[in-house]
Amino acid sequence: MILTVTLNTALDVTYRVPRLLPHASHRVTTVTERPGGKGLNVARVLAALGHKVTATGFAGGPVGSVVQNVLAMSPGVVDALLPCEGASRRTVAVVDEASGDTTQFNEPGPLITPAEWSRFLMHYEELVARVRAVALCGSLPPGVPVGAYAVLVRVARAAGVPVLLDTSGEALRRGVAARPEIIKPNAAELAELTGSRDPLPATRDARRRGAHAVVTSLGPGGLLAATAEGTWQAAPPRPLSGNPTGAGDSAVAGLLSALAEGLDWPARLTRAVALSAATVLAPVAGEFDPRTYEEVRGSVKVTPA
């Protein structure tokens, strides 16, 4: 069993419009809704890969009810979300069909009380005792301590469970000091953490700050990984055109599933890049076609960096 944690769950709403223009009214061609927040996206991909997965975090209000109702229809994902008094957020993505670009609007999320946070910690400790790996993903909702991920990493480490941390800002800065197994920042998050915009030395610097391994997303350039076993860059076989929404979460699922299966680092990176690429190429944001994944996986290039 793999556990994913999404403290700031969301209902992801995607609008597609022929062309997005400022100060104009738009006719929406299609609307899709799905449970969101990075950890729930990771959970769905893990389940699609055949892993048993439990998803936890907070869900509250009418939006939280919709999230849980839809999540119940996701095969292979066990709902372990805790209720909260505040209302879960929505994220709205507007896809410009002419350019392929996506504009995102993210609400802040519910205010979590100290009592709710204490209840979650007890719930998390119980879940961690029964899993093989943990993904801690996304932003912190208001009211959750900024050092929350550091606490959750230490709880998992005490139980002997490896952790992948995917967050940003001060939550990442504090979380990496708790020594997670893997952190997965993008290039901007890495620069904010280390002060360097050169990905290779910045990735190595981030590892010195506490993470056992650092895997940096380079967007179309693939992934750059600094680990105890070596440093590699993994890239898709060609530039990809599509919707990148959810591609980073698919990469997290690839890394975590391969970690749980005991694969070596080149194999982990190959899986992560192939899943990310298949997600970009999928017609629905955050999904992937298994056939596309298999096709891309055979062409991913992994080279020492």
Side-chain angles (χ1 to χ4, degrees), residues 4 19-21 37 42 45 77 81 117 204 233 251-252 292:
T4 70
R19 185 181 296 276
L20 182 62
L21 299 172
V42 172
V45 177
V77 180
L81 295 170
W117 175 240
R204 290 171 172 161
Q233 183 165 354
V252 168
T292 303

Side-chain angles (χ1 to χ4, degrees), residues 128-147:
V128 162
R130 306 196 297 267
V131 302
R132 299 171 58 193
V134 176
L136 306 175
C137 302
S139 62
L140 300 177
V144 171
V146 71

Side-chain angles (χ1 to χ4, degrees), residues 2 50 120 137 141 157 163 175 185 201 209 245 258 262-263:
I2 296 176
F120 177 81
C137 302
R157 283 177 51 81
V163 178
R209 292 168 186 257
T245 302
L263 302 184

Side-chain angles (χ1 to χ4, degrees), residues 160-200:
V161 177
V163 178
L164 187 154
L165 175 62
D166 183 14
T167 188
S168 60
E170 188 62 22
L172 174 60
R173 188 179 305 279
R174 298 198 187 194
V176 71
R179 300 185 60 77
E181 189 71 21
I182 305 171
I183 64 170
K184 198 212 72 63
N186 60 32
E189 293 161 350
L190 181 69
E192 183 181 9
L193 175 66
T194 65
S196 172
R197 295 194 174 277
D198 189 334
L200 183 56

